[in-house]
């Protein structure tokens, strides 16, 4: 939350702390970490999930952390991306890259639809309208059984091989799958980093800080909000599409409001409005859930307790707290 | 009545007040003046118990306040009108006034007291059921003062009450402070309109950079050319 | 549509009101806590569930339903006080996000603790003997217990309304939500008010859980479903507005029952569609005041 | 006012019979006025007279319920507010309104950026270095250069008021609306601000709402007096000061 | 045996990694109790296999994972089991969506999966995999057996209360198909969303239809609440309620009152031990391992699912996928409920269906909650035909 206040630094005003370094090279650092990441994780599929949820949370954070709107309907963006990608492959037989593009497009479009309807509301009401609309989306996909498989989920998004410049890559191989997906995630991080550092990034923050003043300064607040929401939809759509490719199924649960809630938790846990927070949050949350749930069936007790502890003792989220330390 | 000695206060790491000492006797009007950022508001906030970190001593009617929360200080007879008015959103003018009474002993005489205050501020009387934040800046300022006065505190602290108030009303308001004093209410006033303030005050303290740099009777200050040059008259 | 008669529609409406009653009861607690503390209490469902389990436990050690009606709200209310004091209080002033996260975690903990204590499978909860069976309400037979639920809800609402209107509590609550500092300056110990409000809110949640138990039995997950629906109710009514919660709760109940008549599989989504429409047309809900929480 | 004389009588802004009602309450009624380029016009009037409301109509924050607003010959009534800023109308808020978490400098920089780039999501904003330079110039102008790295919310009240004006200036307005710019400023700062306003008026049109009469009477070319939402009087400072009605409802008997 | 040096043990282990069976089931969530039973019984099957010497001394091991009843989680877990744990087989699942998700992963990677929850889709050609077997009943078989029993007995006018998802629809389809033989009259099918907690708005309408039989085609908590509230509304006074699938855990959770008089089907009930020696043996072994507890329907499936796979391993003398598939296809087994075998075209286990009724008195023990009304013997004619499922015959 506080990272943003200093996101524009005078050249030469840098203090040389690791934080400065990290901010300047954030995209490259993500790339480096992502490269060795699967080796540190209990299993590769989890590492892939972390990437995907991290990306999902990254997109969400644009709206939540930077624009200051709490959306409880991001599952609709994530899920639409996943379903459209899946449908493109299963029912249309399109190649994987086209399917990903369809997923991103679906995320953008769905964000536009929801955004146009919801963007006039504020605060908790925005959260609730987005949730309501995303429930309607859930219902829509649930009922379109022929396309989506309904409650049984969409199956058969099976991509065995990926042909790249004449090279045939085995997508079933977990490591290969990880790196292919990681490539997309890194690209998305790069784009996000550009957006945040762009003039528009400053507008987003200004609108969050004081809508009335932003308007008086000459910014179209509604359009800025909508545009940000739509951009967020693109990231979430991509995350959804990758999720569909990764699991080769799309469960209807992807559209459930719990999936919306999850991303809020991840963003808060990592540190809202921080660049790496969402990824850190996703990693901590999923690893925790994974490790603890293998260890005990009462994992919810432990996870819940850790949530409580995080809120009480790391109020800025894990990454947010680290940043605050690093800045000093 | 109010005695402050070696008061220090901080915003995070920045040391906003340094060893501020001052006192206000019963029935006095005392004025705090100083440039922007001098620490006037901070002083009032410390007295009211709104500063996170404050050290030193603040005694009111002989009781040490520094460890007490704000609501206890109110109960002892302190009232505070903050500089940004702090009119509560979503409440009407009447409700804002009622809010001034909920914790007071006079609560049972609510209707009566509201009428009383409305007589003092006729503009508020007209607007009783309007949503308070939609009132004009000056009207809001009146409401804030009325809300603090309604419970008849022993000492009232006003942070720039004349800000945004039209000249006729400023005159009336200062007249009001004078009559409050006559009725036994003590006033601690922060004011940029120094000439006027000194006109009704007994004594004044000059703050700069978080410390008291000067203190004297109002007449003496009014006579002081340097003070006049610096703090008076626009 | 075969079999659509006036009686059926009337009965259906009645069923909707009874259903709405539980929503109302659940939602006013939620709305109260939100309106006052700006805490989106994700653990409200868990309090509701614990209420049902406490009732279950009391009956198993020899109590009866009527004792539970008094004891459960007290027990859950006290529990709520403890939670506020220890967990929620440090979070005031940090926006709505942190309490939300904390109560989310808390609901996990509470549900899991109940699973450990009572097991994962649910239990039946018998309708108290005198309230069993159905009575003729003119348009058809209606379960007596559901009528009782409507009545109990009305009593709680009346008590709450008197409490808020006849004391200055309501005013303090509304002001405290927007600017606690100024309320403190005006002499009100806001923390104490918050504590009490949280206690009342959770007590009502526990009471609602107890009332719901004979309708559906008890399981550890019972708070989850109703939570989402109750959020709809609070939001449609206007966050923080008791009257709004009542109106919206009954409305939601009726909307559900009417969709059940014509397109039952849409019953659930109709709730959300209703909310979307209401908020798009009137962004602050029926009785919500614009500006709060924005 | 040599600049004003140069453009003598060129009208930059005109309102024709504008009115604004809130529910049944008429806050502003049938105000027709003209403002000439390069002049300082002050609007005075009792609290609640409708001055801020009038300002809000001029800067597009409110839409008039009646009448029209014309800026540089174009009818701008009902345009969205952000368009007003693009056209060169800026306003400072009576009740401080800044970006609290952002640094003082970023506050100004964002204001400046609105004219240069609003929807560019790709090129780094760090490249817009001249914005930072201009922001620093403005900060120096309003006396906040030393606080440039502080979050705006940590500024003292008077400093925030100064920032408020800096932000209005950041829009590089041809028409600057200042709603009680010196409220809450110490006399010393007020004097500085007054000098600044006079300086600013050399290049742009300024409309001012103020209650500090010495200031208003000293620097205004013309004064409008509002009362109960109506135009009560209009004229040079001298004329207004002599006006009995104005004395009665607003100035009081004290010598100003 | 204790005298074996640690060194040798290590060697042995290095040579013979255990046969790993991945076991994803929803340990947390509303079906945690059922899942726990599945695990218990699965462990029993493994223990029996190991006690009998394993595969030439090579032991088996169950790798249990919590799928949280979420297909996405299940797919991830299955990937973990296959890619990291390198399991030889997967057995598990408790819901249709989850089993289809697991199936999709195992199918693509050529891993044997024995599904132990109900679904019709898994039999169909689109989802069929030659590596997938279905030990559980499917809705068609269950509702068929219950329908044949009930329509003959309680009347011809039928109304439906159905959970609006594939499983519910499949059961209704099954009922209607059987209904054709009995010329039943369909008065209406009211569909409720999954996870409905209040049926009060639906029940008056059903009552107004005045059917002889009300088929409640849902499961778990939905079923418990629907039955409880139907009782409250006095529906049972004039209408016979049938449910395709009555689960042991649901009955225990909802109590006898709600289930009173309801007729339904199930794949296993411990009480048939009088009839089948295999059941008796299974019950006894289970009792012995878990202090006198009796296995439930879902437990039995966990047992059957693991046991058949291990039996096939033994038969094939290897864990090689193709050999085990062949062995499973050839398997004729009677492990816990009488004779069974996997049909060739869709790998559905052909087995008996029990028609049961909830009982509230004369209970012999706490697990004695049902009375078996009739048993429909295993017969392929009760299954949908291979052609109907889209398989090339
Ligand atoms: N919330 C805050 N965080 C950090 N510093 C603050 C905060 N509020 C005030 N300050 C600083 O503390 C010092 C004293 O501020 P204070 O508000 O007491 O001044 P003041 O005398 O009331 O000024 P003014 O006349 O402008 O109201 C100033 O330097 C100000 O910048
Ligand atoms: N949204 C609103 N709803 C109702 N009344 C309003 C609203 N906004 C303003 N008013 C009323 O309109 C009148 C004019 O308000 P305005 O803010 O323009 O006054 P002003 O001249 O700026 O006064 P001041 O000098 O005190 O700032 C006031 O009486 C105010 O209460
Ligand atoms: Mg101040
Ligand atoms: Mg004004």
């Amino acid at each position: 939350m506080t990272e943003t206040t200093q996101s524009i630094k005078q050249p030469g005003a840098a203090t040389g702390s690791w934080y400065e370094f990290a901010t300047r090279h954030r995209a490259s650092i993500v790339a480096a970490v992502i490269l060795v990441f699967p080796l540190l994780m209990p299993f590769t599929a989890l590492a892939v999930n972390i990437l995907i949820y991290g990306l999902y949370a990254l997109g969400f954070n644009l709206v939540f952390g930077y624009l200051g709107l709490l959306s409880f309907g991001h599952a609709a963006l994530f899920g639409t991306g996943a379903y459209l990608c899946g449908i493109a492959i299963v029912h249309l037989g399109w190649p994987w890259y086209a399917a990903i593009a369809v997923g991103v497009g679906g995320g953008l479009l769905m964000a536009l639809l929801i955004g146009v309807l919801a963007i006039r509301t504020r605060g908790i009401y925005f959260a609730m309208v987005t949730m309501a609309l995303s429930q309607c989306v859930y219902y829509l996909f649930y009922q379109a059984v022929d396309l989506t498989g309904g409650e049984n989920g969409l199956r058969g998004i099976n991509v065995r091989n990926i042909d790249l410049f004449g090279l045939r890559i085995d997508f079933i191989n977990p490591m290969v799958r990880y790196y292919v997906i990681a490539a997309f995630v890194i690209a998305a991080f790069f784009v996000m980093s550009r957006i945040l550092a762009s003039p528009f990034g400053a507008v987003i923050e200004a609108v969050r800080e004081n809508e009335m003043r932003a308007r008086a300064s000459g910014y179209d607040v509604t359009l800025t909000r909508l545009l940000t929401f739509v951009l967020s939809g693109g990231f979430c759509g991509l995350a959804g599409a990758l999720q569909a490719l990764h699991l080769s199924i799309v469960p209807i649960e992807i559209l459930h409001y719990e999936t919306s809630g999850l991303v809020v938790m991840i963003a808060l846990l990592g540190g809202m409005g921080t660049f790496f927070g969402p990824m850190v949050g996703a990693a901590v949350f999923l690893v925790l859930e994974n490790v603890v749930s293998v260890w005990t069936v009462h994992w919810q007790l432990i996870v819940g307790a850790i949530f409580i502890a995080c809120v009480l003792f790391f109020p800025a989220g894990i990454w947010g707290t680290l940043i605050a330390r690093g800045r000093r | 009545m109010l005695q402050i000695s070696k008061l220090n206060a901080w915003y995070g790491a920045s040391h906003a007040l340094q060893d501020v000492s001052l006192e206000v006797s019963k029935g006095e009007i005392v004025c705090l003046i100083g440039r922007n950022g001098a620490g006037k508001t901070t002083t009032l906030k410390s007295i009211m118990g709104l500063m996170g970190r404050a050290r030193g001593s603040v005694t009111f009617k002989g009781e040490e306040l520094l460890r007490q929360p704000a609501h206890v200080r109110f109960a002892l007879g302190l009232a505070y009108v903050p500089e940004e008015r702090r009119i509560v959103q979503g409440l009407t003018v009447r409700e804002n006034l009622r809010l001034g009474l909920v914790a007071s002993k006079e609560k049972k005489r609510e209707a009566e007291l509201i009428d009383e205050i409305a007589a003092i501020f006729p503009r508020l009387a007209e607007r009783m059921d309007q949503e308070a934040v939609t009132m004009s800046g000056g009207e809001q300022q009146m409401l804030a003062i009325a809300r603090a006065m309604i419970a008849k505190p022993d000492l009232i602290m006003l942070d720039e009450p004349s800000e945004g108030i039209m000249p006729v009303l400023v005159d009336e308001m200062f007249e009001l402070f004078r009559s409050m004093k006559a009725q036994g209410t003590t006033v601690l006033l922060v004011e940029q309109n120094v000439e006027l303030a000194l006109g009704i005050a007994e004594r004044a303290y000059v703050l700069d950079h978080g410390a008291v740099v000067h203190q004297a009777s109002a007449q003496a200050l009014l006579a002081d050319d340097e003070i006049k040059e610096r703090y008076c008259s626009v | 549509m075969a079999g659509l008669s006036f009686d059926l529609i009337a009965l259906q409406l009645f069923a909707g009101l009874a259903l709405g009653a539980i929503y109302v009861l659940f939602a006013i607690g939620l709305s109260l806590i939100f309106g006052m503390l700006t805490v989106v209490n994700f653990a409200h469902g868990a309090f509701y569930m614990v209420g049902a389990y406490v009732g279950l436990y009391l009956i198993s050690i020899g109590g009866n339903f009527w004792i539970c009606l008094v004891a459960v709200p007290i027990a859950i209310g006290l529990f709520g006080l403890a939670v506020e004091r220890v967990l929620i209080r440090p979070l005031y002033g940090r926006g709505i996000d942190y309490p939300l996260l904390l109560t989310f975690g808390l609901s996990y903990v509470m549900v899991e603790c109940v699973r450990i204590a009572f097991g994962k499978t649910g239990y039946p909860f018998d309708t108290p003997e005198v309230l069993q069976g159905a009575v003729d309400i003119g348009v058809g037979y209606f379960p007596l217990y559901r009528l009782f639920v409507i009545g109990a809800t009305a009593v709680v609402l009346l008590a709450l309304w008197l409490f808020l209107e006849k004391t200055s509590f309501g005013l303090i609550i509304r002001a405290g939500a927007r600017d606690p500092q100024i309320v403190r300056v005006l002499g009100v110990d806001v923390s104490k008010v918050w504590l009490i409000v949280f206690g009342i809110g959770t007590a009502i949640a526990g009471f609602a859980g107890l009332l719901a138990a004979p309708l559906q039995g008890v399981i550890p997950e019972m708070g989850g479903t109703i939570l989402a629906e109750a959020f709809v109710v609070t939001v449609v009514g206007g966050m923080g507005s008791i009257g709004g919660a009542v109106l919206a709760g009954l409305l939601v109940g009726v909307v559900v029952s009417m969709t059940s008549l014509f397109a039952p599989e849409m019953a659930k989504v109709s709730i959300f569609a209703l909310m979307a429409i209401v908020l798009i047309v009137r962004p602050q809900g029926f009785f919500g005041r614009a500006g709060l929480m924005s | 006012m040599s600049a004003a004389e140069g453009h003598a009588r060129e009208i930059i802004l005109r309102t024709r019979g504008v009115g604004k009602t809130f529910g049944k309450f008429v806050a502003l009624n049938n105000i027709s006025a003209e403002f000439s380029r390069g002049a300082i016009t002050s609007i005075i009037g009792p609290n609640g007279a409708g001055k801020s409301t009038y300002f809000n109509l001029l800067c597009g924050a409110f839409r008039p319920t009646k009448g029209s607003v014309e800026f540089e010959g174009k009818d701008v009534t009902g345009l969205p507010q952000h368009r007003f800023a693009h056209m060169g109308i800026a306003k400072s808020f009576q009740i401080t309104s800044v970006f609290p978490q952002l640094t003082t400098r970023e506050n100004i920089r964002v204001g400046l950026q609105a004219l240069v780039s609003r929807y560019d999501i790709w090129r780094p904003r760090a490249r817009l270095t001249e914005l930072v330079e201009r922001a620093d110039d403005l900060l120096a102008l309003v006396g906040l250069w030393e606080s440039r790295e502080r979050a705006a919310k940590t500024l003292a009240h008077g400093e925030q008021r100064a920032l408020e004006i800096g932000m209005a200036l950041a829009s590089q307005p041809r028409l600057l609306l200042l709603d009680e710019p010196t409220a809450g400023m110490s006399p010393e700062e007020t004097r500085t601000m007054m000098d600044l306003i006079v300086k600013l008026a050399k290049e742009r049109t300024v409309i001012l709402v103020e209650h500090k009469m010495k200031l208003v009477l000293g620097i205004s070319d013309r004064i409008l007096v509002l009362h109960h939402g109506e135009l009560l009087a209009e004229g040079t400072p001298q004329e207004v000061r002599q006006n009995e009605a104005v004395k009665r409802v607003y100035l009081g008997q004290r010598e100003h | 045996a204790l005298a074996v040096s640690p060194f040798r043990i290590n060697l042995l282990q290095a040579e013979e990694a255990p046969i790993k069976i991945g076991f994803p089931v929803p340990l947390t969530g509303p079906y945690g109790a059922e899942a726990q039973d599945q695990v218990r019984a699965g462990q029993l099957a493994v223990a029996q296999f190991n006690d009998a010497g394993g595969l030439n001394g090579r032991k088996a091991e169950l790798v249990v994972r919590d799928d949280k009843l979420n297909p996405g989680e299940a797919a991830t877990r299955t990937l973990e089991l296959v890619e990291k744990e390198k399991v030889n087989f997967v057995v598990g699942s408790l819901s249709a969506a989850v089993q289809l998700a697991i199936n999709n992963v195992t199918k693509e990677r050529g891993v044997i999966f024995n599904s132990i929850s109900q679904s019709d889709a898994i039999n169909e050609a689109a989802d069929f995999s030659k590596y997938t077997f279905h030990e559980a009943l499917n809705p068609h078989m269950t509702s068929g057996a219950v329908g044949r029993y009930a329509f003959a007995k309680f009347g011809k006018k039928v109304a439906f209360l159905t959970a609006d998802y594939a499983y519910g629809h499949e059961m209704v389809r099954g009922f209607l198909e059987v209904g054709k033989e009995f010329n039943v009259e369909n008065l209406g099918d009211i569909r409720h969303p999954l996870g409905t907690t209040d049926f009060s708005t639906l029940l008056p309408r059903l009552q107004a239809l005045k059917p002889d039989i009300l088929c409640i085609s849902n499961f778990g908590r939905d079923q418990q609440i629907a039955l409880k509230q139907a009782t409250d509304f006095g529906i049972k006074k004039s209408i016979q309620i049938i449910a395709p699938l009555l689960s042991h855990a649901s009955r225990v959770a909802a109590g006898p009152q709600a289930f009173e008089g309801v007729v339904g089907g199930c794949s296993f009930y411990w009480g048939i031990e009088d009839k089948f020696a295999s059941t008796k043996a299974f019950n006894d072994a289970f009792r012995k391992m878990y202090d006198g507890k009796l296995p439930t329907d879902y437990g039995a499936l966990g047992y059957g699912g693991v046991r058949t796979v291990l039996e096939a391993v033994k038969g094939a003398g290897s864990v090689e996928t193709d050999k085990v598939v062949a062995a499973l296809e050839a398997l004729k087994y009677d492990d816990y409920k009488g004779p069974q075998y996997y049909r060739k075209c869709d790998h559905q286990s052909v087995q008996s269906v029990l028609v049961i009724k909830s009982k509230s008195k004369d209970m012999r023990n706490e697990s004695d909650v049902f009375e078996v009304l009739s048993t429909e013997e295993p017969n392929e004619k009760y299954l949908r035909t291979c052609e109907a499922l889209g398989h090339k015959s």
Side-chain angles (χ1 to χ4, degrees), chain A residues 154-157 243-244 246-251, chain E residues 71-72 75 100-101 104-105:
Chain A
L154 181 63
R155 291 95 63 194
I157 311 164
Q243 174 83 332
H246 168 48
L247 294 181
S248 69
I249 55 155
V250 182
Chain E
L100 292 168
N104 198 62
V105 173

Side-chain angles (χ1 to χ4, degrees), chain B residues 135-138 164, chain D residues 46-53 55 94-95 179-180 209 211:
Chain B
M135 292 202 304
S136 82
Chain D
N47 292 123
K51 303 180 297 296
S52 298
T53 308
F55 258 29
Q94 179 177 6
I95 293 173
D179 199 349
E180 303 198 24
V209 169
H211 287 300

Side-chain angles (χ1 to χ4, degrees), chain E residues 78-95:
Chain E
T78 310
L79 285 171
E80 179 199 2
L81 289 169
V82 172
E83 291 169 354
K84 160 120 185 295
E85 299 292 337
K86 307 236 180 306
V87 295
N88 305 84
F89 314 104
V90 178
V91 177
S93 78
L94 207 146
S95 84

Side-chain angles (χ1 to χ4, degrees), chain C residues 12 120 124 214-215 219 260-261, chain E residues 27 201 205 221 228-229 253:
Chain C
Q12 199 77 15
K120 288 177 189 164
L215 296 175
I219 58 162
S260 299
L261 203 51
Chain E
L27 290 168
T201 58
R205 245 191 101 192
R221 179 129 170 91
K228 159 90 179 141
Q229 295 178 353

Side-chain angles (χ1 to χ4, degrees), chain C residues 31-210:
Chain C
S31 190
L32 196 63
I33 290 175
F34 178 83
M36 173 65 195
L37 317 175
T38 55
V39 167
V40 177
N41 185 13
F42 255 84
H44 210 67
F47 284 101
Y48 167 90
M49 177 273 298
V50 173
Y53 270 95
V54 170
L56 190 74
Y57 174 74
L58 289 177
I59 288 176
S60 78
I61 59 166
N64 66 31
F65 188 73
W66 310 105
I67 295 177
C68 289
L69 278 183
V70 179
V72 166
I74 292 177
I76 305 299
L78 288 175
F79 180 47
L81 293 184
V83 166
E84 198 276 353
R85 188 68 195 79
V86 178
L87 297 177
I88 313 278
R89 185 163 297 183
L91 305 181
Y92 291 135
R94 287 208 209 146
I96 60 170
D97 318 321
Y98 291 102
L100 187 148
L101 188 62
L102 183 127
T103 49
F104 175 81
L106 180 64
S107 73
Y108 263 38
V109 170
M110 284 167 69
V111 169
E112 204 55 51
C113 286
V114 167
R115 283 196 189 123
I116 292 172
F118 291 89
K120 288 177 189 164
T121 27
Y123 290 92
F125 194 111
D126 291 332
T127 312
E129 204 115 352
V130 288
L131 297 174
Q132 280 175 8
V135 287
D136 193 347
I137 53 166
V139 289
Y141 281 87
F142 200 73
L144 184 59
Y145 183 74
R146 282 176 192 262
L147 293 177
F148 169 76
V149 169
I150 296 179
T153 305
V155 170
V156 170
L157 285 178
L158 187 70
L160 192 66
W161 181 78
L162 285 177
F163 176 64
L164 292 180
E165 285 304 306
K166 296 298 155 199
T167 68
S168 303
F169 225 79
L171 182 63
I172 297 173
I173 284 177
R174 279 192 287 148
R178 271 95 169 180
D179 192 346
Q181 199 178 53
I182 206 71
V183 176
R184 225 176 261 128
V185 165
L186 294 172
V188 179
D189 184 355
V190 178
S191 352
K192 203 182 281 164
V193 175
W194 284 339
L195 184 69
I196 294 171
V197 168
F198 199 83
I200 294 178
T202 51
I204 299 177
F207 186 71
L210 177 70

